[in-house]
Amino acid sequence: MSQNVAKITRRRLLGTGAAVSASVIAGCIGGGGGSGNNDRFHFTQEQSREEQFDPVVSNDAYSFQVVQLVFDGLYEYGENLELQPKLATGPPTVEREGTRFIFELEQGATFHNGDEVTAEDVEHSFVAPVEEETENASEYDMIETTEVIDDSQLQVDLGEQPYGPFELATMGVTVVSKSVRTEDRDAYNTNPVGSGPFTFAELQENEYVDLKRNDDYWDDLEPNVPSVRFVAHDDNAGRVSDIRAGNTDAIAGIPNDDWSVLKNEQGVTLHSAESPTFMYMAFNCNEGPTTNPQVRKAIAHSFSMSDFIESNAGNVTSPMYSPIPPVVNEVWGFPEDEYKGMLPSYDPDQAQSLLDQHAPQGFAPTIITPEGIRAQLAERIATRLDEIGYGANVEVLDFATLVEKYTTGKASDYHMYLLGWTGGPDPDYYLYPLFHESQAGTNQGHYYGGSDGFHQAIAEGRNSAGQEKRYDIYEPVIREIVQQLPVLPAFTQDNTMASRDYVSGLQAHPEVTRNPTLVAEYTNVSLE
């Protein structure tokens, strides 16, 4: 199966200012809000769900926030994006030069209906997205064959080449019940049976989802919270009003301008964690003046990214200096300080000098952007360029129109665009879809040709095993991106939440789909 398929998904391409985009479905806040009700934790999500709760099918971060409480993974992300065994007893046995993995399962793990979790269930969870051609297929299509050795052991073969991200991300498959799911897939999507700490109780579409504690949970962890209600409130002001009024126990997605308001609000606690998101401005390297790296460098010199972040998003974002988010860089240790020193600093005189030398007379680049914080950044760039005699045309587009335009590569459509991406703890999630030549016109619109070996190195890193070896492959690629600026790193967004002060143990997780984590080795949320 192909290892080179990457596509736009709602958990990856960021179309809105939130940590992950999702289609907006009209919804309302459900009843039974906060007020310290010890029997139910009321959580208000920042965007509406697609109401898909089968992990094989679900590709919506906000549905997956529900899924992660109902299901267990073979491995799951810890508090720092490290994969830890859950249904697996420990790390897999790795054979055949990193292309064969043998997993052993915990004894006694059961689904909510009492059935034992077996290797056949794990196998189905790995292969069903590809066999059924769901939106999650590209996350598993590097698997060539699987073999159920016995009820507690599964062998997974990747074919002739390794797949680098497998051990850092793909192994974290969410495990479904094969027998229940295949009996009625439609029913499973809205009334799923998992093996997690909570069971599905009730779904009122576009209103709320209720879960209840699994009192027969196979793991030693026992949730303190008896039940959970998920509601969605897409309106920022509405969510902030709800938490201030005590109409909910916790909300996700704190707007930058409301951070200080809630920080000073009596009875409210704020939570934040850097996420694996990459917000960036890309240059058209296919047509027009921005194909010249000196023009790209000039535009980067024309404004201060750090000043913009401090004034517009300092409470809910962190600066970035490469295409690898800081939280991912903590796992890999790329020389981020060096990259920071290589990026053009704010120097309007240098910007004007470079544009005078390398840009056509009257150059006024077109910047296309979605609304929100990225539109604000585009306007800041246009203002600073205007101050040195060039200016820019900013087009704020709906997401569908923006996607249609930014993949054309035409200078008549844009010179720069602003977008964002989210992935996992592996550089491949950022370098392959956003910079490999096979993804031009699909996940990227900069069409950067690169130096000799640039694209080959990205593919080699994907098809190599071992973090040290892959580090040596990726580091020159990242360095070239920082030097040549096909894209200018902007910032990484934080996953933010606010809770009432009677909520104990809540903390933000770097991976948005793990929020709220109600029970784990490191926390157990309670309402006191």
Side-chain angles (χ1 to χ4, degrees):
M1 296 182 182
S2 170
Q3 297 185 25
N4 293 333
V5 176
K7 61 183 180 180
I8 297 172
T9 71
R10 275 173 291 277
R11 275 191 275 164
R12 294 204 178 160
L13 188 62
L14 305 184
T16 74
V20 179
S21 75
S23 63
V24 177
I25 306 169
C28 61
I29 192 149
S35 70
N37 181 348
N38 291 331
D39 293 330
R40 183 168 66 200
F41 177 68
H42 190 280
F43 184 73
T44 302
Q45 298 171 282
E46 62 191 291
Q47 290 192 36
S48 298
R49 302 173 301 272
E50 288 192 343
E51 311 292 43
Q52 292 186 330
F53 305 105
D54 174 1
V56 173
V57 175
S58 181
N59 195 35
D60 155 35
Y62 303 99
S63 294
F64 234 88
Q65 289 180 336
V66 178
V67 166
Q68 57 99 11
L69 294 177
V70 176
F71 291 85
D72 285 325
L74 184 62
Y75 297 83
E76 293 182 351
Y77 286 126
E79 53 187 325
N80 295 311
L81 279 185
E82 72 283 8
L83 274 188
Q84 300 175 336
K86 184 62 178 181
L87 289 167
T89 58
T93 300
V94 183
E95 298 178 349
R96 217 177 61 173
E97 297 182 338
T99 63
R100 172 171 289 170
F101 297 81
I102 300 173
F103 302 98
E104 185 169 349
L105 304 186
E106 291 279 0
Q107 298 291 317
T110 57
F111 290 108
H112 300 151
N113 63 355
D115 291 347
E116 185 178 359
V117 180
T118 69
E120 190 174 12
D121 297 306
V122 180
E123 178 190 46
H124 180 70
S125 304
F126 271 126
V127 303
V130 178
E131 290 178 347
E132 299 172 22
E133 299 180 345
T134 76
E135 292 187 31
N136 299 316
S138 63
E139 297 182 28
Y140 303 100
D141 66 358
M142 75 295 300
I143 296 173
E144 186 172 86
T145 61
T146 56
E147 179 185 345
V148 175
I149 300 172
D150 55 36
D151 280 351
S152 61
Q153 291 188 88
L154 174 70
Q155 177 178 301
V156 175
D157 287 339
L158 305 185
E160 296 181 359
Q161 290 182 308
Y163 177 67
F166 192 86
E167 291 186 78
L168 287 179
T170 312
M171 295 192 322
V173 63
T174 304
V175 178
V176 301
S177 168
K178 179 180 179 179
S179 60
V180 179
R181 182 178 180 275
T182 55
E183 182 178 350
D184 190 338
R185 291 175 186 169
D186 290 338
Y188 200 80
N189 201 33
T190 54
N191 189 22
V193 174
S195 62
F198 289 86
T199 64
F200 219 76
E202 183 180 4
L203 168 65
Q204 290 291 328
E205 288 197 8
N206 304 328
E207 292 188 24
Y208 62 85
V209 180
D210 281 348
L211 308 180
K212 63 180 181 180
R213 181 170 56 203
N214 178 14
D215 291 328
D216 297 318
Y217 189 36
W218 65 273
D219 197 1
D220 293 335
L221 300 172
E222 181 180 348
N224 291 328
V225 174
S227 63
V228 189
R229 170 164 288 188
F230 285 87
V231 299
H233 206 321
D234 301 281
D235 178 63
N236 288 340
R239 287 196 311 281
V240 172
S241 295
D242 284 332
I243 194 66
R244 296 183 71 185
N247 294 330
T248 184
D249 297 319
I251 65 171
I254 312 303
N256 184 72
D257 293 344
D258 291 304
W259 184 269
S260 58
V261 174
L262 292 179
K263 186 176 181 179
N264 295 317
E265 181 78 16
Q266 186 173 0
V268 173
T269 302
L270 295 176
H271 314 271
S272 178
E274 283 187 358
S275 73
T277 55
F278 170 42
M279 313 301 288
Y280 59 92
M281 180 176 71
F283 294 95
N284 188 335
C285 298
N286 189 59
E287 288 184 2
T290 49
T291 59
N292 186 333
Q294 295 302 318
V295 172
R296 303 197 293 267
K297 185 177 179 181
I299 293 171
H301 273 306
S302 71
F303 73 103
S304 170
M305 185 72 77
S306 60
D307 286 353
F308 173 81
I309 292 171
E310 183 177 352
S311 61
N312 291 68
N315 295 315
V316 295
T317 68
S318 303
M320 286 186 68
Y321 309 109
S322 85
I324 307 303
V327 68
V328 179
N329 203 58
E330 288 177 12
V331 179
W332 286 79
F334 295 112
E336 196 171 44
D337 287 342
E338 287 186 36
Y339 302 150
K340 179 180 179 181
M342 291 161 55
L343 289 170
S345 60
Y346 177 48
D347 188 339
D349 292 336
Q350 178 71 355
Q352 183 175 358
S353 175
L354 287 172
L355 288 174
D356 288 346
Q357 294 177 60
H358 300 285
Q361 188 173 7
F363 175 55
T366 297
I367 308 175
I368 59 174
T369 177
E371 62 183 356
I373 186 68
R374 283 165 291 191
Q376 296 172 23
L377 176 56
E379 292 291 352
R380 174 68 64 88
I381 296 168
T383 298
R384 295 293 180 260
L385 285 172
D386 184 65
E387 290 172 355
I388 60 174
Y390 283 89
N393 303 308
V394 176
E395 296 182 8
V396 181
L397 306 175
D398 65 84
F399 191 55
T401 303
L402 189 146
V403 168
E404 184 179 343
K405 272 198 169 188
Y406 93 98
T407 53
T408 66
K410 295 180 179 179
S412 57
D413 285 331
Y414 67 92
H415 297 96
M416 295 112 81
Y417 64 86
L418 286 95
L419 272 178
W421 192 262
T422 187
D426 195 291
D428 177 79
Y429 283 106
Y430 308 89
L431 298 179
Y432 189 85
L434 294 181
F435 296 97
H436 191 263
E437 58 190 352
S438 67
Q439 303 304 299
T442 301
N443 294 324
Q444 55 182 261
H446 52 71
Y447 294 86
Y448 176 62
S451 62
D452 289 343
F454 176 83
H455 299 286
Q456 182 180 351
I458 294 174
E460 183 184 356
R462 157 172 281 217
N463 296 134
S464 299
Q467 191 164 332
E468 287 188 17
K469 178 180 179 181
R470 298 178 70 221
Y471 176 100
D472 291 339
I473 295 169
Y474 283 140
E475 201 285 322
V477 169
I478 297 168
R479 188 173 292 269
E480 178 173 336
I481 292 168
V482 174
Q483 289 176 327
Q484 298 299 316
L485 294 178
V487 306
L488 177 67
F491 49 83
T492 186
Q493 291 183 305
D494 299 337
N495 286 329
T496 57
M497 296 189 292
S499 63
R500 300 299 302 182
D501 57 6
Y502 53 76
V503 178
S504 175
L506 185 68
Q507 53 184 284
H509 194 280
E511 168 54 51
V512 69
T513 62
R514 301 300 301 179
N515 289 317
T517 297
L518 297 185
V519 60
E521 295 290 345
Y522 57 88
T523 193
N524 198 339
V525 173
S526 59
L527 305 177
E528 299 175 349

